[in-house]
Amino acid sequence: MEDTHHNQGACKDAINIGISNMNALPKQPIILVVDDEPHLRNSLSAILSLHGYTTSTADGGKSAMEALANKHFDLVLLDLCMPDVNGHQVMDWIMGQQLDTCVIVVSGDSSIDSAISSLRRGAYDFLRKPYEIDELVLKIENAFSKRRLESENRAINLQLRESERWYRYMVNSSPDIIYTLDADGLCTFCNDRLESLLGYPKESIIGKHFSALVYAEDREAAQYVIQERRTGDRATRNMEIRIPHCTESKLLTLEFNSFGIYDETGSETPPIYIGTYGVAKDVTEKKKAAQLISYQAYHDLLTGLANRMLFKDHLELAIAQARRYRHMLALMFLDLDRFKVVNDTLGHVIGDHLLIEVATRLRNCLREGDTLARQGGDEFTLLLPQIDSQEDAVRTADKVIKSFGAPFQIDGHELYVSMSIGIALYPDNGDNIDILIKNADIAMYESKAKGRNRYQLYSSGMNVTFAERLSLEIQMRKALERNEFQVVYQPQINVITGKISGMETLVRWASPILGYLSPLEFIPLAEETGLIIPIGEFVLKSAFNQASLWKQAGLLPQRIAINISAQHLEQEGLVDFIAQLLREYELDGSMFEMEITENALLSDGEHIVEKLRLLSGMGIKIALDDFGTGYSSLSYLQKFPIDTIKIDQSFMRGFPGDSGNDSIVTAICTLAQGLQLNLIAEGVEEAEQYRSLHTLQCNEAQGFLFSKPLSSHDITALLMKGAPLGPQHLRPQHCFNL
Ligand code: C2E
Ligand code: CA
Ligand code: CA
């Protein structure tokens, strides 16, 4: 017999899909007539044919078994008493072979025993010979209809079993957890996914309250999911609940859809709530991806700061709040000074590390609620959403500038970088995002133009400056072609003799449109736009050319100093350019000095040292310009081949007398003597300063007291005179003896 019981374990594995082997009866049942008497056999076969049955015959037990082995028969009309193999033996054989055929015994032996033993052997019915035809046909009809019923029943059972297996398979191989809870929230069913996803064996959950699994913070929200009484569209949809993994330390986010289950079979109205059916989908990865995408959309991945988009969001919100509550806010544009230098000389990896450190340092200057964003490159923006006065913004800007005073230690490099900051205030400098950002940007450019490492509050006049900047740049490009640049020379004198010891080359721009411009007005923009390179080359060429003319006239000053911008120094080919000039004009390197500022040494790249060494190798001297204003790191003086330090002219203000400047000048003088460096004081305007410098043993001086920068023509005249500069009485008294 076929096993029609549920096979509980079978559904674990994939199964063949589809309902197979329905055992349906063939349309035309086939009957095998078995009798050793030919007459009976043939007449019976003929009668059955008349009733529409298809028949075969067998003349004994043996041939019956052969026929049954070869072909399927729906019914066997079997004589019991046969000479070779009798009917009982045939039935035993049928049972042994598990043939699906129905047997009606037709026998002359009418004893009850014979009938019973036939039925025991699986016969469907027993018919005594002789029999009425009608009786025979009725029994055959009965047998067939019973078989049909049995077959249908079997097919239904099989179908049920298959579909049960199928549904079980679908439920257990579902990518989602499927569960039912009773009216108290206790688990009554759960599919295999629970274990593979969360590590809980399902037996451990059956009978337990579902909330035991839920992450503590989500328990309250989970109540709806656990005891959902609503059905249809009102039921819980897509609720996200976090569940910790049973054994691993991870928290999964599941998306729950659950519905109330009601007993619809009972007579109660409304029907009784019996529990909850739910499906929980693992959305952990999807959620992470979504979070990452939104993080990426709103953050700068390098520094982790807000990006332009998020900043705009925050700014928009802050403006709305400020408008509503009538308070001020500040927007700052911050730009790293000379970041490009670091990037170009030390590479992007170090550039990136520096940006990360810069972001950290900036963060430390902020209060809670401020938004700091990276706009891209080396530009940052800062939003102070609520301030009481302009002073609040200034204080923060000041804090930022000061925090950049200390160097950054990046991968073994000591880097000094500074910030230029532009500040725009709401509502004074603009009442919408775009104007505030634009004005903070303009103020930032202004602070760059004014010398960097400072902040600048926006003022309405700056819009013009911004436009001027553009036109200045255009004019400057044209000026190169039109030869509008000139150089002048300012003498440097020996403090003891008062005689010219050297001169500094200074560039001028005689613009037919803008007038006679000081380098302070165009050098910062020239540096920003890269025009400083051709301008620098022009100055070098002019100075070398002039030196060669003076040499031919026998007037050669001891030294001609030339200012080299940081950007120019970084430029590939500067050293070759200078070497080429020396060859071209047949001049000795020792009569030139290149003035560089500490900024140029900032990136401390090996190749800057290398370049300075190459220049030194040609006999060219190196002066550190504007000493005292930058970082004045002593390490520079040791690391780089420096010959001269130039005390910045700002220290001459109030010197002597101003105790602050007095002590700085004194310290620098002592330092120069200690390191045996040549020392030049710049911006010397008063005789008193000259005397004090003499006392401090500063060996050279430069300034209006002796001479303004002069044209080459005027300098030639001075050189020809060869006299000490400045009135005799101004020089220190005891100089006369020397
Ligand atoms: P710097 O190198 O410090 O040059 C000295 C500046 O101080 C010059 O201004 C000079 O005219 C001015 N000065 C000289 N003596 C006195 C004085 O007694 N009192 C006062 N108040 N000022 C005095 P200048 O020529 O306007 O140059 C300004 C700056 O522009 C220079 O400062 C230098 O950094 C830059 N610069 C000038 N020429 C060049 C150049 O050819 N190339 C580059 N890269 N920069 C240049
Ligand atoms: Ca200089
Ligand atoms: Ca200087």
Side-chain angles (χ1 to χ4, degrees):
M1 283 296 279
E2 281 245 353
D3 171 25
T4 52
H5 292 110
H6 299 153
N7 187 346
Q8 301 275 357
C11 26
K12 284 236 161 160
D13 307 309
I15 56 165
N16 287 325
I17 294 164
I19 312 290
S20 59
N21 186 18
M22 297 291 286
N23 274 13
L25 275 183
K27 292 233 165 67
Q28 243 321 316
I30 306 172
I31 302 173
L32 179 64
V33 177
V34 187
D35 207 309
D36 57 329
E37 272 182 56
H39 167 67
L40 280 174
R41 194 170 65 231
N42 292 334
S43 66
L44 188 52
S45 176
I47 290 162
L48 293 174
S49 297
L50 279 176
H51 279 83
Y53 295 113
T54 307
T55 61
S56 285
T57 56
D59 61 2
K62 201 156 169 249
S63 56
M65 291 189 307
E66 273 163 17
L68 284 163
N70 287 330
K71 192 173 169 188
H72 170 78
F73 291 92
D74 299 291
L75 182 72
V76 183
L77 291 176
L78 184 64
D79 183 22
L80 277 185
C81 192
M82 289 178 293
D84 53 347
V85 176
N86 68 31
H88 283 154
Q89 286 170 308
V90 172
M91 277 190 280
D92 289 343
W93 180 83
I94 287 174
M95 265 177 121
Q97 296 291 309
Q98 297 189 335
L99 294 186
D100 174 35
T101 189
C102 181
V103 177
I104 296 179
V105 170
V106 186
S107 174
D109 183 352
S110 59
S111 72
I112 189 78
D113 282 354
S114 169
I116 287 173
S117 66
S118 294
L119 294 175
R120 265 203 200 120
R121 284 181 162 88
Y124 169 68
D125 213 339
F126 192 88
L127 192 65
R128 248 177 295 126
K129 289 187 204 169
Y131 44 78
E132 295 286 325
I133 298 296
D134 287 349
E135 192 189 3
L136 172 73
V137 169
L138 188 69
K139 288 206 178 208
I140 289 174
E141 284 296 320
N142 280 345
F144 279 144
S145 73
K146 181 191 168 224
R147 263 179 74 73
R148 207 173 294 117
L149 281 173
E150 270 174 8
S151 165
E152 277 167 16
N153 193 25
R154 235 184 351 254
I156 286 166
N157 269 326
L158 193 73
Q159 218 168 344
L160 268 176
R161 203 187 60 184
E162 291 280 353
S163 68
E164 210 267 353
R165 275 175 72 192
W166 176 230
Y167 283 115
R168 192 173 286 270
Y169 168 75
M170 288 207 298
V171 166
N172 278 331
S173 50
S174 156
D176 304 334
I177 294 175
I178 299 172
Y179 63 91
T180 54
L181 308 176
D182 68 12
D184 299 321
L186 305 181
C187 184
T188 47
F189 168 82
C190 196
N191 67 350
D192 290 349
R193 187 67 178 130
L194 181 80
E195 180 158 3
S196 63
L197 193 61
L198 293 169
Y200 288 94
K202 50 182 177 180
E203 311 78 59
S204 70
I205 285 308
I206 305 295
K208 294 257 170 62
H209 200 273
F210 212 76
S211 68
L213 303 190
V214 175
Y215 185 56
E217 282 179 24
D218 292 355
R219 282 207 187 123
E220 205 179 307
Q223 282 311 312
Y224 293 101
V225 163
I226 293 168
Q227 287 187 333
E228 179 54 79
R229 288 171 178 275
R230 298 165 300 183
T231 56
D233 287 346
R234 294 173 53 241
T236 302
R237 301 230 175 240
N238 304 335
M239 179 177 284
E240 279 176 10
I241 287 174
R242 288 168 296 173
I243 299 190
H245 191 275
C246 176
T247 50
E248 295 161 26
S249 63
K250 57 179 180 184
L251 192 59
L252 289 96
T253 306
L254 301 184
E255 188 182 87
F256 279 80
N257 283 288
S258 66
F259 314 88
I261 317 175
Y262 289 85
D263 182 5
E264 307 280 358
T265 57
S267 52
E268 270 88 355
T269 40
I272 301 171
Y273 170 67
I274 52 175
T276 303
Y277 161 78
V279 176
K281 181 192 278 300
D282 175 21
V283 292
T284 314
E285 290 307 316
K286 189 173 124 191
K287 209 148 160 84
K288 263 192 216 150
Q291 270 166 356
L292 186 69
I293 288 167
S294 87
Y295 184 84
Q296 285 177 346
Y298 287 105
H299 290 83
D300 166 52
L301 293 190
L302 178 67
T303 58
L305 296 178
N307 68 5
R308 203 187 281 256
M309 288 247 288
L310 186 57
F311 187 80
K312 269 195 150 178
D313 277 3
H314 284 200
L315 180 57
E316 195 162 56
L317 202 75
I319 291 175
Q321 295 270 337
R323 187 171 293 139
R324 184 153 171 215
Y325 299 107
R326 294 174 190 283
H327 60 67
M328 286 172 80
L329 68 77
L331 170 63
M332 296 191 200
F333 226 101
L334 306 95
D335 191 289
L336 272 185
D337 298 326
R338 301 194 190 287
F339 175 69
K340 197 177 170 302
V341 175
V342 175
N343 234 6
D344 290 352
T345 56
L346 301 179
H348 290 275
V349 176
I350 289 182
D352 282 356
H353 287 180
L354 176 62
L355 287 174
I356 293 169
E357 292 301 318
V358 163
T360 308
R361 211 171 270 192
L362 287 175
R363 268 197 209 103
N364 291 336
C365 298
L366 309 185
R367 290 174 312 185
E368 210 180 320
D370 297 346
T371 301
L372 176 66
R374 182 168 168 228
Q375 296 284 313
D378 57 350
E379 283 182 0
F380 299 84
T381 44
L382 173 59
L383 166 68
L384 311 181
Q386 184 176 358
I387 55 172
D388 296 328
S389 69
Q390 173 180 304
E391 282 315 300
D392 286 353
V394 165
R395 213 172 301 123
T396 303
D398 224 25
K399 203 168 156 191
V400 169
I401 301 277
K402 288 218 174 73
S403 83
F404 279 74
F408 287 86
Q409 308 291 341
I410 309 283
D411 301 344
H413 297 270
E414 190 180 65
L415 302 180
Y416 285 93
V417 282
S418 56
M419 273 284 184
S420 295
I421 304 178
I423 307 172
L425 304 171
Y426 171 92
D428 294 0
N429 308 144
D431 63 354
N432 70 54
I433 290 190
D434 294 334
I435 292 179
L436 280 172
I437 290 185
K438 190 184 105 209
N439 288 347
D441 196 20
I442 289 173
M444 189 275 289
Y445 269 110
E446 187 75 11
S447 105
K448 284 240 186 238
K450 285 190 175 162
R452 305 188 161 89
N453 193 25
R454 58 196 300 289
Y455 65 82
Q456 178 69 52
L457 285 154
Y458 173 82
S459 76
S460 54
M462 283 178 193
N463 270 320
V464 183
T465 320
F466 191 65
E468 276 174 4
R469 225 177 70 89
L470 272 177
S471 98
L472 189 64
E473 185 181 336
I474 295 164
Q475 293 300 323
M476 205 168 4
R477 288 184 193 279
K478 290 186 183 156
L480 274 165
E481 294 160 21
R482 295 178 189 159
N483 255 327
E484 292 169 12
F485 291 104
Q486 308 170 349
V487 290
V488 291
Y489 301 89
Q490 186 176 34
Q492 299 167 325
I493 64 119
N494 180 311
V495 171
I496 296 169
T497 63
K499 289 194 173 173
I500 295 176
S501 53
M503 54 187 71
E504 180 179 1
T505 315
L506 296 159
V507 71
R508 299 288 179 262
W509 177 10
S511 163
I513 295 165
L514 305 165
Y516 198 68
L517 296 184
S518 142
L520 292 175
E521 291 170 273
F522 63 87
I523 293 278
L525 185 62
E527 285 177 333
E528 246 172 69
T529 53
L531 286 171
I532 191 65
I533 313 287
I535 293 174
E537 288 179 349
F538 163 80
V539 171
L540 278 165
K541 225 176 179 152
S542 308
F544 277 63
N545 181 46
Q546 188 59 53
S548 134
L549 292 175
W550 280 327
K551 187 183 168 191
Q552 283 162 28
L555 290 172
L556 206 57
Q558 288 171 28
R559 187 186 58 223
I560 294 178
I562 301 159
N563 292 287
I564 303 287
S565 150
Q567 215 182 325
H568 199 178
L569 185 62
E570 280 138 24
Q571 183 80 5
E572 200 71 35
L574 173 73
V575 175
D576 287 346
F577 187 85
I578 292 173
Q580 173 63 30
L581 285 177
L582 283 176
R583 276 196 300 274
E584 199 176 310
Y585 291 103
E586 293 173 349
L587 293 169
D588 189 25
S590 65
M591 58 168 303
F592 291 99
E593 182 163 79
M594 300 299 151
E595 295 192 4
I596 55 173
T597 56
E598 283 171 305
N599 276 338
L601 309 178
L602 248 180
S603 59
D604 88 344
E606 276 311 308
H607 74 287
I608 296 284
V609 184
E610 188 53 36
K611 276 186 186 167
L612 296 183
R613 290 219 179 102
L614 284 172
L615 292 174
S616 278
M618 297 178 212
I620 294 171
K621 298 190 183 63
I622 309 293
L624 202 48
D625 208 350
D626 302 344
F627 193 79
T629 54
Y631 308 103
S632 309
S633 164
L634 284 181
S635 66
Y636 288 155
L637 299 176
Q638 282 155 355
K639 185 166 178 184
F640 298 96
I642 310 269
D643 304 280
T644 301
I645 340 185
K646 296 188 78 178
I647 307 179
D648 188 67
Q649 49 180 283
S650 62
F651 297 113
M652 287 302 122
R653 259 168 255 142
F655 170 83
D658 173 309
S659 63
N661 280 351
D662 279 5
S663 51
I664 291 172
V665 174
T666 309
I668 296 175
C669 289
T670 314
L671 178 83
Q673 281 148 27
L675 295 172
Q676 294 186 306
L677 295 171
N678 185 31
L679 184 62
I680 307 179
E682 282 188 289
V684 179
E685 295 180 351
E686 294 157 23
E688 182 63 16
Q689 294 172 334
Y690 181 24
R691 273 191 280 272
S692 299
L693 289 168
H694 182 269
T695 314
L696 288 169
Q697 295 182 351
C698 169
N699 46 336
E700 294 189 42
Q702 175 183 351
F704 295 164
L705 176 67
F706 314 104
S707 169
K708 296 206 165 190
L710 301 171
S711 66
S712 54
H713 179 265
D714 292 346
I715 290 283
T716 307
L718 264 186
L719 288 173
M720 285 170 79
K721 251 201 266 167
L725 283 174
Q728 290 273 332
H729 70 272
L730 287 181
R731 281 183 282 137
Q733 291 300 302
H734 55 274
C735 284
F736 292 118
N737 307 327
L738 292 168

